[in-house]
Amino acid sequence: MDDVQQRTEHGPLAGFTVGVTAARRAEELGALLERRGARVLYAPALRIVPLADDKELLAATEEIVDRVPDVVVATTAIGFRGWVEAAEGWGLGEALLDRLRKAELLARGPKVKGAIRAAGLTEEWSPSSESMAEVLDRLLEEGVDGRRVAVQLHGEPLPGFVEALRAGGAEVVQVPVYRWLPPEDPGPLDRLLDTVVARGVDALAFTSAPAASSLLARAEERGRLPELLDTLRHDVLPACVGPVTALPLQERGVDTVQPERFRLGPLVQLLCRELPGRARVLPVAGHRVEIRGHTVLVDEDLKPVPPAGMALLRALARRPGWVVTRADLLRALPGAGRDEHAVETAMTRLRTALGNPGLIQTVVKRGYRLALDLAAETKYADV
């Protein structure tokens, strides 16, 4: 690739690293991120119990077949389809569909409506907002006292939903479709956890509440939960596909970002706005320098930088234009020990990677500083 192509073909996420915790549709999410220039680290935080082996789902299905519920709430398309397919495998498919036809069938959104109709059924109602809160409001307004309501769960109990129905006098049958368990091999998740704590990713993407809960639980098992929470509160951006997904993090005091529409595409678009918006931009030696996760944009030229060099650059950027001593830079280097020669070696490689030695000035017997353009500094002061 020539210099002109390198300047014009990088995407909005070029230079950023995003961790993906999903077990389902991970490759689809990763492809969307990589298409926009991100480097993606994959580590499924959970695994899905095969529906045909799920005794709890079988028990709930038999309970519904034995006694028709008044209302059935379908929450996810993949979950509803999987439930019907599992019932067919148990020889209960026709019986289940017959009972669902006799119930008031509510669908959370258009994808679930499609799955319901593909099964030869018709939904009674679906909220325009695709919100479970709106489904709950409708049920409570209609009145649920003495009614039997079956709720297809999506991975874990819906916070407050079942409790509110029971408080209103309903008998609730929970249908635990695709339950989550910790991954059989925790190695990839442990590596991602260590990388997050070391600030080696810029964002962590969550597409389900169980994945967020699983990561937090694994961090607690390894004694790294305080470090993880501190990292997510200050340095690594937690991006969730929706408010239900965000709940386990918010309960731990971690603020998250969420798209307005709870889909993978809008989640990626959100990251395309948020991550470049968090990048540090400085006017240095007549150039626009944008410091991203593992890459630097010098004007519009993408410059990959080794981890040690990036650590030095971030230390210099925290005090742009000021001299930073070799001792301070040594402390910024990961695993550098006490030899200040490591700073000189890393600095040489950093200057080579940036392709412009003049961006960083050596101050004899004192240290190094960014060659900040004071006259142009206000141009990027609020970036």
Side-chain angles (χ1 to χ4, degrees):
M1 180 179 290
D2 61 31
D3 289 343
V4 173
Q5 286 178 311
Q6 190 173 357
R7 289 189 182 92
T8 59
E9 291 186 0
H10 61 78
L13 294 179
F16 295 111
T17 301
V18 180
V20 171
T21 60
R24 185 171 62 86
R25 302 180 70 188
E27 292 183 1
E28 180 183 348
L29 175 57
L32 290 171
L33 293 166
E34 289 171 347
R35 203 173 300 150
R36 289 156 179 81
R39 182 169 66 186
V40 178
L41 298 182
Y42 296 92
L46 37 79
R47 59 188 167 95
I48 302 172
V49 177
L51 295 182
D53 300 335
D54 195 328
K55 294 179 181 178
E56 289 186 28
L57 178 60
L58 173 58
T61 304
E62 289 175 335
E63 188 176 347
I64 288 171
V65 168
D66 290 342
R67 184 178 163 210
V68 180
D70 298 293
V71 181
V72 176
V73 180
T75 60
T76 63
I78 186 173
F80 187 83
R81 286 195 300 269
W83 181 20
V84 172
E85 289 169 4
E88 289 173 352
W90 297 321
L92 297 172
E94 283 304 318
L96 175 62
L97 293 175
D98 177 68
R99 305 307 186 270
L100 295 179
R101 286 189 187 96
K102 295 174 180 176
E104 179 184 348
L105 190 51
L106 307 183
R108 183 180 62 87
K111 288 188 177 181
V112 195
K113 286 166 60 175
I116 287 171
R117 294 178 184 182
L121 305 172
T122 304
E123 77 286 351
E124 182 81 17
W125 175 81
S126 180
S128 58
S129 64
E130 301 181 40
S131 165
M132 288 301 290
E134 191 174 345
V135 174
L136 180 61
D137 288 343
R138 175 188 170 93
L139 287 170
L140 295 178
E141 286 171 9
E142 288 181 345
V144 294
D145 190 19
R147 304 184 81 193
R148 197 158 181 265
V149 182
V151 182
Q152 174 230 314
L153 306 176
H154 49 87
E156 65 175 20
L158 300 167
F161 191 90
V162 170
E163 292 82 355
L165 291 176
R166 286 179 174 154
E171 176 191 348
V172 180
V173 180
Q174 300 185 65
V175 182
V177 176
Y178 55 91
R179 287 188 300 118
W180 310 112
L181 290 176
E184 288 184 323
D185 176 12
L189 185 60
D190 285 345
R191 288 191 289 274
L192 177 62
L193 173 59
D194 293 340
T195 303
V196 172
V197 170
R199 278 71 173 174
V201 304
D202 303 287
L204 206 50
F206 296 96
T207 58
S208 72
S213 297
S214 180
L215 178 68
L216 294 170
R218 185 60 182 168
E220 193 162 21
E221 286 175 17
R222 297 184 57 210
R224 307 211 72 177
L225 183 59
E227 296 172 276
L228 175 65
L229 294 176
D230 181 69
T231 302
L232 294 177
R233 287 169 185 151
H234 299 105
D235 300 301
V236 173
L237 177 68
C240 297
V241 76
V244 173
T245 298
L247 278 173
L249 296 165
Q250 292 176 341
E251 288 171 354
R252 299 279 190 166
V254 175
D255 291 330
T256 67
V257 295
Q258 304 158 29
E260 292 183 5
R261 295 180 62 248
F262 311 146
R263 298 283 186 273
L264 295 188
L267 177 63
V268 172
Q269 292 167 10
L270 177 66
L271 287 169
C272 288
R273 296 192 301 271
E274 289 285 338
L275 287 179
R278 292 160 63 99
R280 187 73 187 273
V281 181
L282 293 167
V284 181
H287 299 274
R288 180 187 185 275
V289 173
E290 180 177 335
I291 302 171
R292 296 188 165 202
H294 56 270
T295 297
V296 179
L297 278 176
V298 181
D299 299 322
E300 289 301 315
D301 200 356
L302 202 61
K303 302 287 187 179
V305 175
M310 190 60 78
L312 294 184
L313 185 59
R314 291 188 187 282
L316 293 170
R318 279 194 286 271
R319 302 183 65 197
W322 292 77
V323 176
V324 181
T325 67
R326 286 179 174 81
D328 286 342
L329 291 173
L330 182 63
R331 282 190 286 272
L333 277 179
R338 300 182 179 180
D339 186 0
E340 291 189 1
H341 179 69
V343 173
E344 297 173 11
T345 301
M347 187 63 70
T348 299
R349 292 173 179 166
L350 170 60
R351 283 170 161 161
T352 300
L354 293 176
N356 188 331
L359 298 176
I360 300 172
Q361 297 174 334
T362 302
V363 181
V364 179
K365 296 184 179 180
R366 293 181 61 197
Y368 301 89
R369 70 180 174 195
L370 288 178
L372 191 69
D373 296 333
L374 296 179
E377 185 179 2
T378 55
K379 179 178 179 181
Y380 303 111
D382 298 325
V383 176

